[in-house]
Amino acid sequence: MTVTTERDALEAARSAFRLELLDAGLLIATSSPGVYGRSATFERILTGLDAVLTDMAAPLNATAVRFPPVYPRADFERTDYIASFPDLSGVVSSFEAGDREHRELLGARERGEAWDGWLSPADVVLTNAICHPLYATLEGVLPADDQVFDVFGYGFRHEPSLDPMRLQSFRMHEFVYVGTPQGAQEYRDTWLDVAQATLASLGLPITAVAANDPFFGRAGRMLVSAQLRENLKIELTVPIYGDLHEGTAIASANCQREHLTAAFGIRTPDGEVAHASCVAFGMERTTLALLRTHGLDVATWPAEVRGLLGL
Ligand code: AMP
Ligand code: ZN
């Protein structure tokens, strides 16, 4: 196949999978690509998966914390997300002016014109990576050499697509280590293996590959090559579209070193900058990978998989 027909075939396969999910009622379309409602069955699978992940992580004795899907703009400023991924960001705006401006806004709206020029940025942004709000709370000296956190929540990435594996708003479950440099590296390596084995136990054909994140622009291309060269982030992928695509990442294990801990001033008791690493699971993506692998009718899934997921 030529490159163009291969790309067309991939797009067709993505659209076909999306339509199958909509026809089966598992996802509910909205007018925005990548923004869906989920059915009760979809949520039952996702909840079962989450219980499997929580059991997997039991030996970590992680401190569980939950944040809402927005966090302070001042904390967002401390990450370099707007430098690395401006196109994926989501900033909340609201109306802060008076009656006159409101009348102008309504006039523009009445005429069918853009009215968002009357809005100004609020003090919160949409959370892109659910560990960022956590780091913002850890500023200062950690109470022990290391600590592990269990974080779950909605993340936003502005990447509209008709591929059902690429959503704009989706849940992640992350297990985040904060501590010593050696501890962060060991944690990444150990929990990558555990994550892979756990996902494989659900019948998913997993491959581990070095990640290359979609950093923006020319400076971004250098960050990608550094990420690959230093082998910092590994993704666990599942083939969704056969030979048409190399596979979609459903989870990742990432050694961030001091990248975010330095930005948020997090130190170990010996006064050194802490290092961090995390293992992150995409909840919708993994649920969709299960549906793609075992079929859209849960009743026909292998008994062992249903048992593990409590279905
Ligand atoms: P990342 O922080 O980019 O490694 O993302 C963590 C996990 O979230 C990935 O391994 C995916 O499973 C999931 N994920 C990332 N982007 C998307 C997206 N656009 N739609 C659905 N899931 C995603
Ligand atoms: Zn993270």
Side-chain angles (χ1 to χ4, degrees), residues 129-132 135 172 174-176 252 254 256 260 277-280:
I130 60 164
C131 54
H132 291 181
Y135 290 122
M172 290 172 253
E174 287 200 19
F175 301 94
V176 183
S252 67
N254 191 5
Q256 280 125 346
L260 287 155
S277 56
C278 67
V279 183

XYZ file of all heavy atoms in Angstrom, residues 129-132 135 172 174-176 252 254 256 260 277-280, ligand 2:
132
model
N -2.179 16.741 33.274
C -1.574 15.536 33.833
C -1.959 15.533 35.306
O -1.659 16.501 36.020
C -0.064 15.558 33.666
N -2.620 14.460 35.762
C -3.237 14.518 37.086
C -2.221 14.522 38.225
O -2.587 14.766 39.365
C -4.269 13.389 37.285
C -3.609 12.016 37.147
C -5.430 13.541 36.308
C -4.484 10.909 37.714
N -0.930 14.284 37.912
C 0.059 14.365 38.990
C 0.503 15.809 39.240
O 1.063 16.103 40.299
C 1.256 13.461 38.722
S 2.037 13.725 37.128
N 0.244 16.735 38.320
C 0.702 18.111 38.516
C 0.078 18.778 39.753
O 0.802 19.393 40.532
C 0.481 18.950 37.248
C 1.384 18.530 36.121
N 1.389 19.146 34.886
C 2.322 17.545 36.042
C 2.288 18.560 34.108
N 2.850 17.579 34.780
N 2.021 17.486 42.840
C 3.347 18.076 43.072
C 3.219 19.450 43.721
O 4.001 19.822 44.585
C 4.124 18.209 41.752
C 4.570 16.883 41.170
C 4.196 16.493 39.898
C 5.384 16.031 41.900
C 4.594 15.286 39.365
C 5.795 14.817 41.369
C 5.396 14.453 40.101
O 5.799 13.249 39.583
N -7.280 9.157 34.324
C -6.002 8.480 34.505
C -5.925 7.982 35.939
O -6.490 8.603 36.840
C -4.847 9.465 34.290
C -4.670 9.903 32.858
S -3.440 11.223 32.744
C -4.507 12.593 32.416
N -2.811 7.113 38.448
C -1.347 7.181 38.515
C -0.856 6.784 39.891
O -1.475 7.125 40.895
C -0.871 8.623 38.266
C -1.000 9.065 36.848
C -0.096 10.267 36.541
O 0.862 10.521 37.308
O -0.363 10.923 35.542
N 0.293 6.130 39.897
C 0.981 5.827 41.144
C 2.321 6.553 41.062
O 3.168 6.239 40.219
C 1.128 4.310 41.305
C -0.228 3.629 41.306
C -0.761 3.116 40.131
C -0.986 3.574 42.465
C -2.026 2.533 40.121
C -2.260 2.994 42.463
C -2.778 2.474 41.290
N 2.467 7.555 41.919
C 3.566 8.514 41.790
C 4.567 8.340 42.932
O 4.184 8.388 44.109
C 3.018 9.967 41.842
C 4.137 10.978 41.641
C 1.911 10.169 40.817
N 1.811 4.237 30.866
C 3.206 4.624 30.703
C 3.912 4.606 32.051
O 3.276 4.729 33.099
C 3.316 6.019 30.081
O 2.835 6.990 30.982
N 7.189 6.539 33.700
C 7.966 7.716 33.328
C 8.857 8.133 34.484
O 8.366 8.383 35.585
C 6.951 8.833 33.006
C 7.589 10.034 32.363
O 8.782 10.026 32.067
N 6.803 11.073 32.161
N 10.650 11.080 35.763
C 10.742 12.517 35.471
C 11.999 13.152 36.072
O 12.202 14.347 35.920
C 9.518 13.249 36.036
C 8.306 13.132 35.164
C 7.129 12.579 35.947
O 7.304 12.067 37.043
N 5.953 12.675 35.396
N 9.863 18.055 37.603
C 8.753 18.773 38.262
C 9.056 19.059 39.728
O 8.609 20.065 40.277
C 7.467 17.949 38.145
C 6.890 17.973 36.727
C 6.048 16.764 36.445
C 6.073 19.249 36.510
N 8.989 9.691 39.818
C 8.632 8.875 38.658
C 7.202 8.407 38.855
O 6.705 8.389 39.978
C 9.595 7.690 38.481
O 9.637 6.920 39.637
N 6.526 8.097 37.748
C 5.150 7.647 37.929
C 4.775 6.576 36.912
O 5.364 6.466 35.832
C 4.170 8.815 37.892
S 4.025 9.622 36.320
N 3.810 5.772 37.322
C 3.206 4.788 36.438
C 1.771 5.237 36.247
O 1.044 5.422 37.218
C 3.241 3.379 37.064
C 2.678 2.350 36.095
C 4.640 3.016 37.459
N 1.388 5.485 34.989
C 0.076 6.078 34.707
C -0.729 5.161 33.797
O -0.205 4.649 32.798
C 0.257 7.436 34.024
Zn 2.357 11.716 36.129
